[in-house]
Amino acid sequence: MEGLDISDPMLSRARERRPDLTLHHCDMTRFDLESRFDAVLCLNSTLALVGSHELMVATIQCAARHLNPSGPGVLILDLPNHMVEIPAENGRSSTERFVNDDCEGEQLEVKFESNHLGDLWVTEWTGTVDNWETVLFREQFAELVFDVARVEQEFERCGFLVEALLGSRDGEPFNEEHSWRRLYVLRQQA
C-alpha cells in the first residue's frame, strides 16, 4: 500500500502513524509514480476539493494510468452528494465537543459553518479550547459543486464501468434524495 498527499504536514503525520507505508509528496491531479496498483482509492471528498471539472478529470485519468492492467483495476471514489448536503446544511452552524488528547485531555470544541457560494460548497472548521478563548486551528474547505453527469461520462471515457454506487462507506444503497455520499466502485474494462 502506498499513499500520496500534497501537504507536507499531512505526510509527516501519516509517517508518524504508519512508518511502514511508502508515501509520496505530489499533486493528485498530475502524479506519476513508477508503480501500478490493483486498486486506487480517493476518499473523503478529496476529488471535489481539486477546484474544477478539468482537474477532477485529470485526477481520474492519473488514477486510471496507475492501475495494474493485469489486476482487478478497481477505482474507489468517495464523493459528496451535494443535492442532499447543501439544502440540509447551507448557512448552518453547529458545534461538537471532543476530548483533545493533544492538549492533556482538555475539551476541544469545533464549530462547523457551511455555505453554498456559487459553484463552491465552503465549510469552515474552527477548533478552540478554554471555552472559546484559545483558537487551535481554523480550516476552510471549498468543494466544487460538480456536475455528476459530466464526472460519470469521464468514467466511461477512461474505460471504467460503474460496478456499484453506494450511499455510504458502510455499503448502504445509494438514494439520490437521502444519501449524503456518492461512493463509486469502478472497474477498469479490459
Side-chain angles (χ1 to χ4, degrees):
M1 185 173 5
E2 297 184 28
L4 63 88
D5 203 302
I6 199 166
S7 164
D8 284 325
M10 290 304 290
L11 286 167
S12 294
R13 187 150 192 169
R15 285 185 180 107
E16 287 171 14
R17 290 183 177 193
R18 293 293 306 270
D20 56 314
L21 292 181
T22 300
L23 299 171
H24 305 273
H25 180 260
C26 39
D27 181 339
M28 71 181 202
T29 66
R30 53 190 162 94
F31 66 98
D32 187 16
L33 308 178
E34 297 192 14
S35 304
R36 298 294 172 259
F37 305 93
D38 289 340
V40 174
L41 285 75
C42 186
L43 303 175
N44 300 323
S45 302
T46 342
L47 191 60
L49 294 170
V50 296
S52 72
H53 281 93
E54 293 74 22
L55 291 175
M56 289 179 83
V57 167
T59 303
I60 294 166
Q61 291 170 342
C62 277
R65 283 194 303 272
H66 284 81
L67 288 170
N68 184 348
S70 62
V74 174
L75 173 60
I76 297 176
L77 298 174
D78 176 17
L79 292 165
N81 184 14
H82 289 129
M83 291 178 62
V84 171
E85 185 177 359
I86 290 173
E89 295 292 318
N90 191 34
R92 281 195 60 213
S93 178
S94 63
T95 302
E96 293 185 29
R97 290 173 178 77
F98 306 91
V99 173
N100 185 358
D101 294 331
D102 293 335
C103 292
E104 301 173 8
E106 280 188 86
Q107 194 165 53
L108 171 68
E109 293 186 79
V110 181
K111 181 178 182 181
F112 303 92
E113 294 183 26
S114 301
N115 293 287
H116 187 197
L117 306 171
D119 63 350
L120 296 177
W121 176 236
V122 180
T123 303
E124 185 171 293
W125 299 15
T126 305
T128 64
V129 292
D130 303 327
N131 293 320
W132 294 90
E133 290 184 27
T134 306
V135 174
L136 295 180
F137 63 85
R138 181 170 279 129
E139 296 181 12
Q140 190 177 73
F141 302 93
E143 295 175 353
L144 176 68
V145 180
F146 59 93
D147 180 334
V148 173
R150 191 169 165 190
V151 171
E152 289 179 347
Q153 286 172 349
E154 193 56 37
F155 299 159
E156 191 175 320
R157 271 196 287 278
C158 286
F160 288 108
L161 222 64
V162 177
E163 192 162 282
L165 174 56
L166 305 171
S168 76
R169 294 181 197 120
D170 296 330
E172 294 172 20
F174 179 74
N175 179 305
E176 187 79 38
E177 296 175 5
H178 302 290
S179 298
W180 283 57
R181 309 294 316 151
R182 288 180 170 274
L183 185 77
Y184 291 95
V185 179
L186 309 172
R187 185 170 302 276
Q188 205 166 37
Q189 300 177 67

